[in-house]
Amino acid sequence: MAWACSFPLRRAATVSICSGVTAGELAGLTAEELRIARNEIYARHGRWFKSEDLNRYFRKKSWYEPSVEPDAFDSSVFSATESQNIQYLLEKMEALQ
């Protein structure tokens, strides 16, 4: 599956999922924007979500093809960079809460 390496969270913020995310990319993002960024990585691998707000959000994306139930999702599909980004985004989210 091919997809863009970066995606906009809002006009002034773009997060790369193909390289390590940086503090600069995440500066000023809300906990909710960080949550979306983190789950975008899962969504790009076809995971659907138990959270209906995430399902609604990603269903609006032309590239989103939900194919894996949350409980059946295998995180071994992630690259090392994706795994690092997920962890980093989670840490940043938790720091804001």
Side-chain angles (χ1 to χ4, degrees), residues 9-96:
L9 286 174
R10 54 182 147 125
R11 269 183 267 191
T14 301
V15 173
S16 172
I17 58 173
C18 295
S19 60
V21 292
T22 65
E25 287 177 307
L26 304 181
L29 296 182
T30 66
E32 182 60 22
E33 289 169 321
L34 293 169
R35 177 177 175 248
I36 291 169
R38 178 175 169 265
N39 283 291
E40 171 112 2
I41 300 168
Y42 287 87
R44 295 279 180 178
H45 288 281
R47 185 184 188 274
W48 63 271
F49 301 93
K50 292 180 181 179
S51 171
E52 192 53 41
D53 67 316
L54 288 173
N55 280 322
R56 275 193 308 273
Y57 177 85
F58 289 116
R59 280 188 194 128
K60 293 177 184 175
K61 306 299 179 188
S62 62
W63 51 262
Y64 183 53
E65 297 179 21
S67 59
V68 184
E69 293 186 31
D71 295 332
F73 188 81
D74 183 356
S75 61
S76 70
V77 300
F78 295 137
S79 69
T81 300
E82 288 171 320
S83 294
Q84 290 169 353
N85 287 347
I86 289 168
Q87 184 60 39
Y88 188 56
L89 288 160
L90 183 58
E91 290 169 8
K92 292 296 185 185
M93 280 173 46
E94 289 172 350
L96 289 176

